């Protein structure tokens, strides 16, 4: 069974068998996504991926109770000074997740899946670190944040079903980091009414992965536009494939965590242990 936890009262939550309960919690920033996409892209994607993954988990484990919490609209990013951006510190992301997950764990829940459609590794690391620290303090795993690993599924050798259409597009237009064909396609399926027709006229803005860690280079490249990539190659069919694949991967990570079977590869993104990525909590 799947339910929106905001609609439950405490006695109903109290009555759930906690060993059979899974809670999904999202955290994603409000931020500019070019001239053609709304500032809520990452929140909408996070909601969709959680809802679709919850349905898949529900099919696999019909006796489990799946509670969905709202997406916390906070994120760390470096996307310039556009109106619409609400970026917060990595320390705040870390604390928000650490305290929220700790609170849910106090209900007796030990399967908390934290999800973010925001792929910035500095954001992912803060979320993963918070889950890891809660798990350490409690002495047993209660939370996992698998998206940073899912975004690097290829590199980490994790199962994913990237459709040939997506792979071909990735070869033609790589480094589609922000509000390019990837996110525009996803939004064409999730909320097509929010995608402006001018997506087809946006210029291609190309930056390498190395450029992405240089804030002044990013700011210069995206000035007056806001996206990084090639939005003009977006289409709804690609969006359906991308959203479905994200949900499948999220379901895989959640099921492994629920059954405590080889879930560790989903705990940390590949950059987690590089000096400077973890939040300094001293
Ligand atoms: Zn985004």
């Amino acid at each position: 069974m799947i339910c929106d936890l905001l609609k439950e009262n405490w006695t109903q939550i109290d009555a759930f068998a906690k060993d059979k309960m899974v809670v999904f919690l999202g955290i994603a920033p409000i931020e500019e996504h070019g001239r053609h996409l709304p500032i809520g892209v990452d929140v909408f994607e996070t909601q969709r991926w959680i809802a679709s993954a919850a349905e898949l988990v529900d099919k696999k484990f019909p006796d489990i109770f799946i509670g969905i919490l709202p997406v916390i609209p906070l994120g760390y990013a470096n996307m310039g000074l556009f109106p619409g951006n609400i970026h917060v510190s990595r320390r705040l992301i870390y604390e928000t997740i650490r305290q929220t997950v700790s609170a849910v764990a106090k209900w007796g829940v030990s399967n908390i899946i934290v999800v973010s459609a925001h792929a910035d590794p500095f954001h992912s690391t803060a979320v993963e670190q918070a889950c890891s620290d809660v798990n350490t303090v409690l002495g047993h795993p209660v939370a996992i944040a698998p998206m940073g690993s899912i975004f690097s599924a290829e590199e980490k050798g994790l199962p994913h079903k990237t459709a040939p259409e997506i792979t071909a597009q990735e070869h033609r237009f790589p480094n589609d980091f922000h509000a390019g064909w990837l996110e525009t396609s996803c939004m064409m399926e999730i909320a097509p009414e929010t995608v402006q027709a001018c997506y087809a006229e946006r210029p291609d803005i190309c930056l390498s992965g190395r450029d992405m860690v240089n804030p002044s280079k990013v700011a210069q490249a995206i000035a007056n536009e806001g996206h990084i990539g090639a939005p003009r190659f977006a289409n709804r069919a690609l969006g359906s494939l991308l959203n479905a694949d994200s949900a499948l991967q999220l379901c895989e990570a959640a099921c492994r965590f629920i059954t405590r079977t080889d879930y560790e590869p989903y705990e940390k993104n590949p950059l987690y242990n590089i000096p400077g990525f973890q939040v300094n909590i001293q």
Side-chain angles (χ1 to χ4, degrees):
M1 187 178 79
I2 302 173
C3 95
D4 174 355
L5 282 172
L6 290 193
K7 294 178 180 163
E8 302 296 307
N9 64 52
W10 75 264
T11 63
Q12 290 167 315
I13 294 173
D14 195 39
F16 295 136
K18 300 301 182 304
D19 58 333
K20 289 195 180 300
M21 189 167 171
V22 177
V23 169
F24 280 95
L25 166 71
I27 180 161
I30 293 172
E31 69 172 349
E32 70 81 18
H33 276 74
R35 291 172 172 268
H36 58 295
L37 292 178
I39 59 173
V41 165
D42 288 20
V43 174
F44 293 132
E45 288 173 338
T46 303
Q47 281 170 340
R48 162 58 72 90
W49 298 351
I50 287 176
S52 302
E55 281 175 23
L56 296 172
V57 173
D58 188 46
K59 274 190 197 129
K60 282 201 175 184
F61 300 106
D63 61 328
I64 273 183
F65 174 79
I66 302 169
I68 298 182
L69 282 170
V71 177
I72 299 168
L74 290 177
Y76 171 84
N78 225 323
M79 274 300 149
L81 296 170
F82 291 86
N85 282 353
I86 303 177
H87 292 145
V88 300
S89 68
R90 304 171 64 219
R91 178 69 196 243
L92 182 58
I93 297 300
Y94 169 86
E95 276 301 329
T96 302
I97 291 302
R98 190 185 67 77
Q99 295 189 32
T100 306
V101 163
S102 300
V104 176
K106 280 189 190 148
W107 307 354
V109 179
S110 57
N111 292 304
I112 306 165
I113 320 289
V114 186
V115 181
S116 183
H118 184 53
D120 184 326
F122 286 106
H123 174 86
S124 305
T125 299
V127 175
E128 292 162 9
Q129 191 181 347
C131 292
S132 171
D133 286 359
V134 173
N135 294 343
T136 302
V137 166
L138 295 178
H140 60 103
V142 297
I144 190 167
M147 288 311 303
S149 300
I150 289 173
F151 286 128
S152 301
E154 183 100 40
E155 183 182 345
K156 293 198 75 171
L158 295 170
H160 57 290
K161 282 199 181 128
T162 309
E165 298 93 312
I166 304 286
T167 310
Q169 185 95 323
E170 277 168 347
H171 281 296
R172 281 153 71 201
F173 313 107
N175 298 337
D176 196 81
F177 291 115
H178 181 68
W181 65 267
L182 283 163
E183 284 193 302
T184 306
S185 297
C186 288
M187 287 304 290
M188 282 173 168
E189 197 211 16
I190 296 169
E193 71 284 1
T194 67
V195 181
Q196 303 298 316
C198 69
Y199 83 89
E201 289 132 39
R202 306 275 46 89
D204 298 355
I205 296 178
C206 304
L207 284 175
S208 67
R210 185 184 284 249
D211 294 335
M212 286 297 287
V213 293
N214 182 336
S216 62
K217 216 166 195 174
V218 171
Q220 201 182 2
I222 67 176
N224 208 35
E225 281 290 342
H227 65 276
I228 302 165
R232 65 194 172 108
F233 296 105
N235 66 62
R236 188 180 174 136
L238 290 175
S240 301
L241 292 168
L242 288 162
N243 290 324
D245 188 37
S246 295
L248 257 174
Q249 292 190 68
L250 191 46
C251 168
E252 172 73 19
C255 290
R256 288 196 195 188
F257 190 61
I258 293 164
T259 57
R260 299 294 192 265
T261 312
D262 196 24
Y263 65 89
E264 293 87 351
Y266 286 96
E267 287 187 300
K268 281 157 190 169
N269 77 81
L271 301 176
Y272 188 91
N273 285 317
I274 291 178
F277 271 85
Q278 289 178 40
V279 181
N280 182 1
I281 50 166
Q282 299 314 312

